[in-house]
Amino acid sequence: MKKTLNLLLAGITSMGLAFGAYADDYITLASTTSTENSGLFASILPKFEDATGIEVRVVAVGTGQAFEIARRGDADSLLVHDTAGEKRFVENGYASERADVMYNDFVLIGPASDPANVSDAQTAAEAFAAIANAEAPFASRGDDSGTNRAELRLWKNAGVDPDGDWYRELGSGMGPTLNTAAAMDAYVMSDRATWVAFGNRQNLELLFEGDKVLFNQYGSLLLSEEKHPHLKHEMASKWHNWLLSEEGQQAIADFRVDGQQLFFPNAQ
């Protein structure tokens, strides 16, 4: 009886240790709503887990919020799309390395009636100036995301300080912002991936694209071991290196929505 009890206890202990090890085989990734809403992570994360046994749990927020989460040490890894902000993050000692992973572009969406004649614009600056001049409704994420930061740079390039009832700062992610724009018949800037995957278009159409200033680069960052020694740096490094590897880059290239490639790998 005693022997049986000891074996039972040993088995329970072994199961507990195994469960504990399994439960800890994950990292927390702070990333953007575009990578989540587009379906990219649902496509590539199982491939990474199959290759390494490491689960990636994504916190999908605006890039500004993702920086803050990583700055506090509440995420093990960071994948965002604000290259200037990412470089400052490294310079300020919060990350030890940053690398290009993939790119796509931003597009300007609006009502099919196009009251500001955005589709006639030759440049993004002209398109944004036309919206301001017409005081046509514009839905801005207003959430300090990478998309919002890019949008504000584009208003500045157009010589416009967006203000007034026509300009609505929503403080929401890309999907909810597109939903609001659809309900308002408003113009909105989106990353192409979220737009292609978006299902509630109503009267919205893609009206302007192709200007080189709409380029949208994504970067992966290794967080500082010195500032946050408690983080899962070894597993985070495996994720970072997998993204840059031939296997990770191919997984990104293989992701399609309606047959359309949404992200283009460009790791060096």
Side-chain angles (χ1 to χ4, degrees):
M1 178 68 179
K2 185 176 180 180
K3 183 177 180 181
T4 302
L5 181 60
N6 287 339
L7 288 172
L8 179 61
L9 289 172
I12 292 172
T13 301
S14 175
M15 288 172 61
L17 290 172
F19 178 77
Y22 175 80
D24 200 44
D25 283 349
Y26 72 90
I27 59 170
T28 299
L29 171 67
S31 191
T32 71
T33 60
S34 58
T35 44
E36 177 77 3
N37 292 346
S38 64
L40 174 71
F41 283 144
S43 175
I44 71 170
L45 293 186
K47 297 176 182 178
F48 172 72
E49 187 170 357
D50 286 347
T52 64
I54 300 169
E55 178 188 359
V56 179
R57 300 180 182 178
V58 180
V59 179
V61 291
T63 287
Q65 291 174 275
F67 279 135
E68 184 56 34
I69 290 169
R71 192 177 290 113
R72 294 196 307 261
D74 291 335
D76 302 297
S77 189
L78 187 60
L79 178 63
V80 287
H81 60 141
D82 177 20
T83 301
E86 293 158 29
K87 290 179 178 179
R88 285 195 301 271
F89 204 76
V90 174
E91 290 167 1
N92 291 334
Y94 290 102
S96 58
E97 181 181 320
R98 180 214 165 269
D100 287 341
V101 173
M102 61 191 181
Y103 69 91
N104 61 11
D105 63 342
F106 294 111
V107 292
L108 194 53
I109 309 300
S113 58
D114 193 14
N117 296 316
V118 163
S119 58
D120 293 335
Q122 298 300 306
T123 66
E126 287 181 17
F128 276 78
I131 293 169
N133 290 336
E135 295 191 350
F138 186 95
S140 170
R141 286 183 59 168
D143 63 347
D144 194 32
S145 60
T147 302
N148 184 220
R149 293 180 179 193
E151 177 217 313
L152 294 176
R153 289 194 296 270
L154 290 166
W155 286 119
K156 186 175 181 179
N157 290 347
V160 174
D161 182 12
D163 194 16
D165 292 340
W166 61 275
Y167 185 73
R168 310 289 179 85
E169 292 183 278
L170 303 178
S172 59
M174 196 68 256
T177 299
L178 283 167
N179 277 322
T180 301
M184 293 171 53
D185 264 355
Y187 290 96
V188 59
M189 192 178 88
S190 173
D191 66 282
R192 185 183 294 271
T194 306
W195 167 247
V196 170
F198 182 60
N200 180 35
R201 298 187 177 188
Q202 298 189 45
N203 296 322
L204 295 182
E205 292 184 357
L206 194 162
L207 298 175
F208 185 85
E209 61 184 323
D211 191 325
K212 63 182 181 181
V213 299
L214 298 176
F215 180 79
N216 182 28
Q217 177 69 53
Y218 290 79
S220 174
L221 290 90
L222 286 176
L223 302 185
S224 168
E225 292 189 41
E226 182 178 349
K227 285 190 180 294
H228 298 299
H230 68 283
L231 297 180
K232 300 172 183 176
H233 294 287
E234 184 176 350
M235 287 192 286
S237 181
K238 289 181 179 179
W239 160 247
H240 176 82
N241 291 329
W242 183 84
L243 284 172
L244 308 181
S245 71
E246 183 176 347
E247 182 182 358
Q249 294 281 281
Q250 190 61 53
I252 292 166
D254 288 344
F255 173 61
R256 300 282 198 281
V257 172
D258 295 334
Q260 184 173 339
Q261 183 175 347
L262 300 187
F263 296 92
F264 298 84
N266 68 339
Q268 299 299 316

